[in-house]
Amino acid sequence: MSPSAGGLVVFLLSVQVIQSQDGWRVNYHQTDVCAVKGSTVDISCDITYPPGIDPSDIKDRFWFTKEKDGEPVDLRTDSEYSGRVKYGCNSVSCYLTITYVRESDSAEYKFTLMTNKPGEKYTGSPGVTLSVTGLQVQVRRSDSTWLELTCHSSCVLSGRAEYVWSKNGEIIKTGSSLLVSSGSTDRYSCNLRGPWDNGSPAVYGPQRPSVSVSPSAEMLEGDSVTLTCSADANPAANYTWYKEHEDSPRASGQNFTITDFTAEHSGNYYCEAQNEMGRSNSTLLRITSSGKRGSTWSTTAIIVISVLLLIIIILAVPYIKRRRMSPERTEPRPENDIQIPLDNEENQPGGIEGSEGRGGRGENGDGAVHMYPL
């Protein structure tokens, strides 16, 4: 275990664990290591060799957490630890240093040795369990005006660990706790002093909630409508729904559903988002009734019928105009009608019997005699 600048951030359970087999022995200096994300961790062990084995017979030795095809994988070749691991070994001991530890580094770490003899190796098992955790800010109400923020880790840290508090990203104080005013929308986080990226998630009161309605803010009576409220907050916000000018809440929860909507439900609604840091109200959302479903259907039917009649009239007008503008039909002339002109009776010797008494004209009075074949 090694201290880092600004304080000791790793807790080691200092119980020696000795793993031995056929004279081999690996003595881990601790069974469990708890570390804060972003800090530096040291794990170490002592080595005892069986009779007949000299340290010079050791071909390789390294730390590992994984195996591939039944063989341990050296941490120095694991891409997930690239640039973050360092070994420090002599003939009888070896330590592992991991910098900028991540939560994904949580695993069981073992030490293995391989001799010059083919297939001869020894692994100290079980190994050392590393648990990596982040910092958290706990919120407790001190009174109606003040809140107490405490920087917390699931690891038992050394008394020399020093916490640093930030407000909206700016350092404001050191210490394990911080008093802030209730209802503030500022963002507070804590870190362990040092060069590590180990800051806690920021805590803050709800920002102005946004509200939405589905399917529509204009409802038919008898339908259902759902109002939804959402606010950015940490810790997560709780939601309460109100109707304007009413003191009693209408519902609680992120969603508020009104079933069998009536005109009495019409009005302005808003939601309140609240967490340990404060509370915030949304803008008003107006919900109205657009009438009863039956009357709406009647109106729709009238509109549809009117449109259809208009289309029929538009299509009929050109046809009527064409009928009016076409010439009158005359009686068709028989195919074998033979006309004899009688314009000049003097040129017709003897005339034609029967022409007298008809005005000297043809049968039809048109100056021609029509003869039809029998």
Side-chain angles (χ1 to χ4, degrees), residues 73-94:
V73 178
D74 191 338
L75 281 180
R76 293 171 295 189
T77 66
D78 190 330
S79 60
E80 294 183 9
Y81 293 86
S82 179
R84 299 192 298 121
V85 296
K86 178 183 176 181
Y87 295 169
C89 299
N90 55 39
S91 60
V92 294
S93 66
C94 194

Side-chain angles (χ1 to χ4, degrees), residues 208-371:
R208 169 70 65 104
S210 62
V211 290
S212 60
V213 57
S214 177
S216 170
E218 291 188 3
M219 301 299 301
L220 295 174
E221 293 188 19
D223 282 352
S224 296
V225 62
T226 298
L227 312 182
T228 301
C229 185
S230 179
D232 180 21
N234 189 35
N238 297 313
Y239 301 96
T240 306
W241 288 93
Y242 294 88
K243 189 176 183 181
E244 189 180 24
H245 306 309
E246 292 184 2
D247 295 330
S248 301
R250 284 296 186 104
S252 60
Q254 190 167 10
N255 297 318
F256 170 33
T257 299
I258 303 174
T259 58
D260 194 16
F261 191 88
T262 65
E264 288 72 19
H265 289 116
S266 298
N268 294 322
Y269 293 83
Y270 66 94
C271 73
E272 178 187 79
Q274 179 181 3
N275 68 2
E276 293 90 331
M277 297 292 293
R279 65 184 64 196
S280 179
N281 291 342
S282 72
T283 57
L284 294 174
L285 177 64
R286 184 163 185 79
I287 307 297
T288 60
S289 170
S290 58
K292 296 181 179 180
R293 180 172 295 279
S295 61
T296 302
W297 274 110
S298 299
T299 302
T300 303
I302 293 172
I303 293 173
V304 171
I305 293 173
S306 300
V307 171
L308 290 176
L309 288 175
L310 179 61
I311 293 173
I312 292 172
I313 293 172
I314 292 173
L315 294 176
V317 167
Y319 175 76
I320 295 172
K321 286 184 176 179
R322 286 196 301 270
R323 290 282 296 175
R324 289 181 176 178
M325 294 177 63
S326 63
E328 294 183 0
R329 297 181 61 186
T330 59
E331 180 181 352
R333 180 180 298 166
E335 294 182 0
N336 297 320
D337 185 9
I338 302 174
Q339 295 185 8
I340 301 175
L342 298 177
D343 293 337
N344 189 352
E345 295 183 5
E346 296 179 356
N347 295 331
Q348 305 294 332
I352 298 179
E353 185 178 359
S355 64
E356 295 292 332
R358 294 181 181 169
R361 308 299 291 176
E363 185 180 22
N364 294 326
D366 55 3
V369 176
H370 299 267
M371 302 179 67

